[in-house]
Amino acid sequence: MKDVRNYDLLRHNTFGIAAKCSRFVEFSTVEELQDVLRRLTDDDMPLLLLGGGSNLLLTGDYHGTVLHSAIMGHEAVEKGDDVMLKCGSGETWDDIVALCVARGWYGTENLSFIPGEVGASAVQNIGAYGAEVKDIITSVEAVEIATQRPVSFTNAQCEYAYRQSKFKGEWRDKYVITYVTYRLSKTFKPRLDYGNIRSCLAEQQIASPTPQQLRDTIIRIRREKLPDPALEGNAGSFFMNPIVGKDKFDEIAGHYPEVPHYTVDAEHEKIPAGWMIDKCGWKGRSLGAAGVHDKQALVLVNRGGATGEDIVKLCHKIQKDVYDRFGIAIHPEVNIK
């Protein structure tokens, strides 16, 4: 177990923000976590549950305790066509995707190259290219902070929605996730109709991709669109794509017939926030050291030396411009602390 005071969080957030926390604790087992929680005092509060730091924006030093899972390992149980894969919350998500593809366990391919750790996948309901992790999660194990007792939740109990779960709402700061179990399949059913997957496959002259070819294509698309945090600090998609009613969508389509959209249900459409930000002229622009990526307007970047407050100011300016132009409020996907 690692337990350090006045700890530098620079390498624990992909935005590259210089900040420290009063105490940093990294646990490797459920028992270590329970012991840490049992010994917490008022001086250790508040708590921040940190994964890979790829969905976090620090606006200053954190005057409390940061808890980070280093619970590793995975265990698979195969039954017929199904594979139940239990993973430690500290595992890197994309390592698990690579493992699944290599072993012939399918269902994660479209979620390739999403940064972060297994525990965060269950909190955030990560998603990309027509897939969401809620579709494969069967259960989430955690430790209740107040009582230190181990608990287990079903998928239904987590109440997953677009980039949402009870861990982000009612259960926020009440549980520390220790393990996540996913249901995968031995039958490969590729999902190719979202975004530019098919066109990218066509460029490679691939008509029917293998699982590895689909994973490689998703990685290629993401690398072309998203900046490398090692070169330009960022947290990937900064804003959630708004879901609007049909009337609102029809209003916008009347002014912008080319508006991209994805049908959610009979009454709602999802409009890419990046498209609206681009229409407002923000792609590639900066506000001081904080900027908007020149290839993907959904991504805010640290051009070098930006503070968390610089990023927040840019966020607010973009939100105002999008609302003024489209009458739609867009909200950060990133956890701002």
Side-chain angles (χ1 to χ4, degrees):
M1 186 172 73
K2 184 176 188 177
D3 191 341
V4 183
R5 302 281 177 173
N6 196 32
Y7 185 79
D8 188 351
L9 293 170
L10 181 61
R11 70 182 187 87
H12 289 277
N13 74 97
T14 58
F15 250 118
I17 301 296
K20 292 185 176 182
C21 63
S22 301
R23 184 185 181 193
F24 180 87
V25 179
E26 187 175 75
F27 53 90
S28 301
T29 66
V30 172
E31 293 73 23
E32 284 185 355
L33 170 60
Q34 290 172 312
D35 186 58
V36 168
L37 295 176
R38 198 175 295 118
R39 296 170 182 270
L40 288 174
T41 68
D42 290 344
D43 291 339
D44 294 314
M45 299 300 179
L47 299 179
L48 173 61
L49 311 181
L50 179 65
S54 59
N55 196 52
L56 174 69
L57 175 62
L58 295 166
T59 56
D61 290 343
Y62 188 76
H63 302 291
T65 300
V66 171
L67 296 179
H68 178 253
S69 173
I71 296 178
M72 309 301 283
H74 52 81
E75 179 183 347
V77 176
E78 301 185 26
K79 186 176 181 180
D81 193 55
D82 288 340
V83 180
M84 307 299 288
L85 181 65
K86 179 178 177 178
C87 302
S89 56
E91 288 281 353
T92 298
W93 168 252
D94 196 54
D95 289 349
I96 296 301
V97 178
L99 170 77
C100 291
V101 172
R103 297 282 179 87
W105 305 333
Y106 306 124
T108 63
E109 305 81 42
N110 289 47
L111 302 175
S112 291
F113 215 54
I114 294 178
E117 298 174 355
V118 160
S121 78
V123 173
Q124 188 72 10
N125 183 24
I126 58 173
Y129 299 99
E132 290 181 298
V133 79
K134 71 175 179 61
D135 296 329
I136 58 173
I137 287 178
T138 62
S139 64
V140 179
E141 295 175 40
V143 170
E144 187 176 37
I145 292 172
T147 65
Q148 299 89 54
R149 68 185 179 96
V151 292
S152 181
F153 301 106
T154 64
N155 180 300
Q157 287 175 312
C158 296
E159 296 184 4
Y160 286 115
Y162 174 61
R163 301 296 182 273
Q164 292 293 333
S165 72
K166 286 186 78 171
F167 295 107
K168 292 184 70 176
E170 181 184 339
W171 295 344
R172 189 181 185 93
D173 299 328
K174 291 186 177 180
Y175 300 98
V176 181
I177 293 175
T178 53
Y179 291 94
V180 182
T181 299
Y182 308 95
R183 177 186 281 113
L184 308 167
S185 174
K186 295 180 185 177
T187 301
F188 179 49
K189 298 177 181 178
R191 284 169 287 189
L192 309 177
D193 294 323
Y194 197 98
N196 57 337
I197 296 176
R198 285 193 183 276
S199 61
C200 191
L201 287 168
E203 288 175 8
Q204 303 170 73
Q205 298 183 324
I206 299 172
S208 299
T210 65
Q212 186 62 54
Q213 286 174 327
L214 178 54
R215 170 169 161 76
D216 291 344
T217 297
I218 297 292
I219 291 173
R220 175 181 172 181
I221 293 170
R222 290 184 67 90
R223 278 183 168 153
E224 288 176 351
K225 290 173 61 176
L226 302 174
D228 183 347
L231 302 176
E232 198 167 37
N234 71 92
S237 298
F238 193 91
F239 297 99
M240 293 184 285
N241 292 321
I243 296 173
V244 302
K246 287 287 189 180
D247 289 347
K248 185 62 181 178
F249 172 75
D250 290 342
E251 174 193 325
I252 292 173
H255 296 286
Y256 304 94
E258 77 281 10
V259 56
H261 60 100
Y262 307 97
T263 299
V264 176
D265 54 39
E267 300 298 327
H268 298 91
E269 297 285 338
K270 183 189 296 183
I271 299 176
W275 177 83
M276 291 189 289
I277 296 168
D278 190 8
K279 281 292 182 182
C280 291
W282 274 105
K283 183 186 283 187
R285 286 177 56 195
S286 296
L287 202 61
V292 179
H293 188 45
D294 57 1
K295 293 183 179 178
Q296 171 53 271
L298 198 58
V299 179
L300 305 190
V301 295
N302 178 356
R303 300 220 185 271
T307 65
E309 290 294 346
D310 292 335
I311 304 292
V312 169
K313 288 177 184 176
L314 176 60
C315 164
H316 290 165
K317 178 61 176 167
I318 290 170
Q319 287 176 308
K320 182 180 184 303
D321 286 358
V322 168
Y323 188 83
D324 288 348
R325 184 161 189 161
F326 296 99
I328 294 177
I330 58 173
H331 303 285
E333 179 178 333
V334 171
N335 184 19
I336 299 174
K337 287 290 184 181

